[in-house]
Amino acid sequence: MPAADTALLLIDVQQSFTVRPYWDAQDVPAFLAACNTLIAGCLKRRVPIVRVFHVEDDGAFALASGLVRPLDGLMAFAEQARIDKHVHNAFTDTGLDRWLRGRGIRRVLIAGIRSEQCCETSARVASDLGYEVDFVSPATLTFAMRHPLSGAHYSAADIRARTELVLAERFAQVCSVEQALARLDAD
């Protein structure tokens, strides 16, 4: 499949998260480095980039908050499309599927925030819609969580590993940034 049939979906890489109580900047430098490398690689290969923002009516994810903008440290680029979503996946009621199909896109690269939430959900929906999915795990970010019943603590690395496990070979090709770019070059 030629790289012309591929698009990068950059999901929810936005300032809104920085004011959430669970925000932890520990993994942010590595995440931004991975995202910026992926973006630069896609730009070099002329892979279209779709910027997806999560938008809510109130709070930090409301357009009026001024926080629905790229996360500080993310490289500047001209996206080919901007999608505002109001649910966990990037496809429901956004027109994204129509936009992708209208351009002959058959494979999507998934990167963004949160690994197990909007990125994983978008990967599953994309797969169900018939897209080939590359889940670029190092270019996703998440945060530690506590299990509501057992009280067990799960680190961001635990959650990312679980996401990789459940997506791999079912819904997506789980890959590094380098592997995703090499797959583009091999096409």
Side-chain angles (χ1 to χ4, degrees):
M1 169 182 321
D5 292 352
T6 303
L8 169 60
L9 306 183
L10 193 64
I11 301 171
D12 301 350
V13 184
Q14 63 193 77
Q15 273 309 110
S16 307
F17 284 102
T18 65
V19 299
R20 290 292 204 214
Y22 51 76
W23 175 257
D24 181 349
Q26 176 181 338
D27 295 334
V28 172
F31 163 71
L32 284 171
C35 278
N36 289 337
T37 300
L38 182 62
I39 292 165
C42 286
L43 291 171
K44 178 181 175 184
R45 291 161 178 85
R46 297 185 179 159
V47 171
I49 302 173
V50 178
R51 192 186 306 264
V52 180
F53 285 116
H54 186 83
V55 176
E56 297 175 355
D57 292 336
D58 299 307
F61 288 84
L63 293 173
S65 73
L67 297 171
V68 180
R69 59 182 171 81
L71 186 65
D72 290 346
L74 186 69
M75 71 181 289
F77 64 92
E79 71 266 10
Q80 280 65 45
R82 174 190 164 143
I83 303 292
D84 289 348
K85 66 179 184 60
H86 304 280
V87 296
H88 294 106
N89 78 80
F91 290 90
T92 301
D93 297 329
T94 63
L96 177 58
D97 183 47
R98 183 175 53 256
W99 189 90
L100 294 170
R101 291 189 194 283
R103 284 152 185 81
I105 303 297
R106 296 185 299 154
R107 179 168 68 198
V108 293
L109 311 178
I110 303 274
I113 304 176
R114 298 181 59 171
S115 308
E116 81 292 350
Q117 194 164 308
C118 297
C119 294
E120 179 181 334
T121 306
S122 295
R124 287 173 181 261
V125 171
S127 175
D128 284 351
L129 290 171
Y131 294 96
E132 184 179 340
V133 179
D134 285 6
F135 191 86
V136 190
S137 192
T140 70
L141 178 70
T142 197
F143 311 99
M145 297 173 72
R146 187 161 305 283
H147 193 283
L149 300 177
S150 71
H153 178 268
Y154 293 89
S155 70
D158 294 335
I159 294 167
R160 195 167 19 266
R162 174 247 166 235
T163 298
E164 293 166 356
L165 175 68
V166 300
L167 287 178
E169 307 309 320
R170 294 180 183 98
F171 298 97
Q173 175 75 36
V174 175
C175 54
S176 67
V177 171
E178 295 76 17
Q179 290 168 327
L181 295 176
R183 282 174 46 87
L184 292 172
D185 292 339
D187 292 339

